[in-house]
Amino acid sequence: MTLFKGWEGPDSLAEIMQEIFVTGGAGFIGSAFVRLLLDEISELRIRNFDALTYAGNLDNLEGLDGSRHSFIRGNIADSEAVLGALSENTYAVVNFAAESHVDRSIANAAEFLTTNIVGTQVLLDAARERGVKRFIQVSTDEVMGSLPENEDVFFTEKSPFQPNSPYAASKAAAEHLVRAAHETFGLDTVVTRCGNNYGPRQFPEKFLPLALSNALNDQPIPVYGDGRNVRDWIYVDDHCRALLLAMEKGRAGAVYNIGARNERPNIEVVESLLKTLGKPKSLIRFVKDRPGHDRRYALDPSLIETELGWRPQETWESGLEKTIEWYRQNTQWLERAKSGAYRDYYREQYGEEVSAG
Ligand code: NAD
Ligand code: TYD
C-alpha cells in the first residue's frame, strides 16, 4: 500500500503512522497542512488541537472529512489538556500553535512566552510520555535576525540565532527546547525554518492579506518606513509540502530552511497586488516604521532541496493569483475575520478604523 505519493519507506501502515497530532491547525498554515495531509495520505487520522485564539478560525476547517479529522479545543501550555488529547498511537506531533504576529509581540510579549516557549516544552514532555515517534517544530527565519541588503548573503541552517523581536526571541527559545529534548532525551525531532507565507486563509493582520483587503476596499495601505524591507515569500502549500517531506524523511535532529528563493521589498509586494487588482498606487501610505524592523530575510534552501528533494511548485505570480482569487471569492470569510476584537487592534495599531468589507 502506498501511503504518500512517492512514498519510499516501509509498507506496513501500523509500523509507520496512524495518527498525526497537529497543534494550531485552525490557523493559516496549520489548516493548509491539515488539508494537504488528508488529501495526500489515504489512511491517516488527524487530531487538530487548537486554542482558537483571535487567529484560530473554525471556518478554516470547513468541509473536512470528519471521520479522519477531529478538532479538540485546548491550549498547548496546559499539560493536562495536551496529555488528555494526545494518544499513544500518535506518529508525529506537528507544532504550528503560536502567537505569530511581530507587532503584537512588540505591544505585549506575555502570551508569546506562554504559548511559544512554555507551550512547546509542554508538548515535548507530553510527546515523550506518550511515546510519540517524531516531533516537528514549525519555526521561522526570523530566529536568525536580519541580513544586510544588497549583499549576496543568505540564512543557512548554520546561521547564528539573532532574534530581534519578542516574537522571534520566543520562537528561538522554542527551538532551543526542541534541540535540548533531542540531545538530552533522544526525542526524534525536526525543526523547519520558513520565510513569509502567503495564500488563502491568512489572518488580515499580516501584511499581504491586510494590503489585499484594503486594496479591495479602496482603503489606504500602510507601508512601514521606506517600504524597502525585504521578505522571502513562499506560497503556503509549498511550505506544507516541505513539512510533509520533513515529517516523512527528515533526519532526526535536523534543521531545514524552507524558502522559495523569492525575495521582494515590501513596496514591490504592494505594487504587484495593486497591478493585479487594477488599483491605483495612490492607495499606498507610508507610515511610522516598526521598532527593530528587520531589514532583510533571505533563505538558502539548498539543504532541503538536496536532502529531501523538495522544490516549490508555485511561482510568485501563480501563487499571488491564487491568493487574490481566494480572497475575492471568500469575502464573507474576510468580513468575519475583520469583525470583533480585530477592529480594536486595527484602531490601536494604525490609528484609524478597519475597512468594512
Ligand atoms: P496563525 O496565527 O494564523 O495561527 C496560529 C494558530 O495557533 C491559531 O489557530 C491559534 O488559535 C493557535 N494557537 C495560538 N496559541 C495557542 C495555544 N496556546 N494553544 C493552542 N493553539 C494555539 O499562525 P500561522 O501564520 O499559521 O503560523 C503557524 C506557525 O508557523 C507558527 O508557529 C509560526 O511561528 C510559524 N511560521 C509562520 C510563518 C508565516 O509567514 N505566517 C512563517 C514561518 C513560520
Ligand atoms: P508581517 O506580515 O507582519 O510579517 P513579518 O513581520 O513576520 O515579516 O510583515 C511583513 C513585512 O511587511 C514586514 O517588513 C513589515 C511590513 N508591514 C508593513 O509595511 N505594513 C503593515 O501594516 C504590516 C502588518 C507589515
Side-chain angles (χ1 to χ4, degrees), residues 26-29 50-51 53 56 74-76 96 98 100 115 139 167 171 195 197:
F28 164 48
I29 308 173
D50 192 301
T53 67
N75 192 320
I76 60 165
F96 293 93
S100 67
T115 291
S139 192
Y167 162 68
K171 293 294 288 187
N197 285 230

Side-chain angles (χ1 to χ4, degrees), residues 237-301:
D237 290 349
D238 280 328
H239 179 192
C240 291
R241 280 186 279 268
L243 289 171
L244 180 51
L245 274 177
M247 182 175 86
E248 177 194 354
K249 300 183 191 166
R251 240 180 322 111
V255 176
Y256 296 102
N257 283 348
I258 303 173
R261 302 179 198 273
N262 183 36
E263 284 183 63
R264 315 238 159 214
N266 294 334
I267 192 69
E268 194 187 304
V269 170
V270 183
E271 284 173 1
S272 302
L273 270 177
L274 292 172
K275 190 167 169 221
T276 314
L277 291 167
K279 299 281 183 177
K281 283 191 191 173
S282 55
L283 287 177
I284 295 171
R285 181 185 292 174
F286 289 98
V287 300
K288 189 161 65 73
D289 207 356
R290 171 188 280 173
H293 195 175
D294 284 337
R295 195 61 176 169
R296 173 177 168 240
Y297 302 144
L299 289 151
D300 175 357

Side-chain angles (χ1 to χ4, degrees), residues 100-103 140-142 167 195-197 202 204-211 221-225 227-231 233 266-267 270 285 287-290 293-295 297 345-346 349-350:
S100 67
H101 191 40
V102 172
D103 291 327
T140 166
D141 55 5
E142 302 191 29
Y167 162 68
N196 285 58
N197 285 230
Q202 184 168 28
E205 67 185 352
K206 300 281 166 53
F207 184 50
L208 200 141
L210 187 148
I221 297 168
V223 174
Y224 295 162
R228 303 299 306 169
N229 299 70
V230 171
R231 295 295 183 263
W233 296 92
N266 294 334
I267 192 69
V270 183
R285 181 185 292 174
V287 300
K288 189 161 65 73
D289 207 356
R290 171 188 280 173
H293 195 175
D294 284 337
R295 195 61 176 169
Y297 302 144
Y345 167 78
Y346 196 94
Q349 180 71 16
Y350 299 102

Side-chain angles (χ1 to χ4, degrees), residues 293-314:
H293 195 175
D294 284 337
R295 195 61 176 169
R296 173 177 168 240
Y297 302 144
L299 289 151
D300 175 357
S302 309
L303 185 65
I304 194 164
E305 288 174 351
T306 52
E307 221 177 275
L308 305 184
W310 173 82
R311 291 282 185 290
Q313 292 182 11
E314 301 294 341

Side-chain angles (χ1 to χ4, degrees), residues 10-43:
D11 269 348
S12 157
L13 190 69
E15 219 179 292
I16 306 163
M17 57 183 75
Q18 297 164 356
E19 194 162 289
I20 306 290
F21 191 78
V22 173
T23 70
F28 164 48
I29 308 173
S31 64
F33 184 69
V34 165
R35 272 169 215 284
L36 181 76
L37 281 189
L38 292 172
D39 283 351
E40 292 279 313
I41 313 173
S42 48
E43 308 286 332

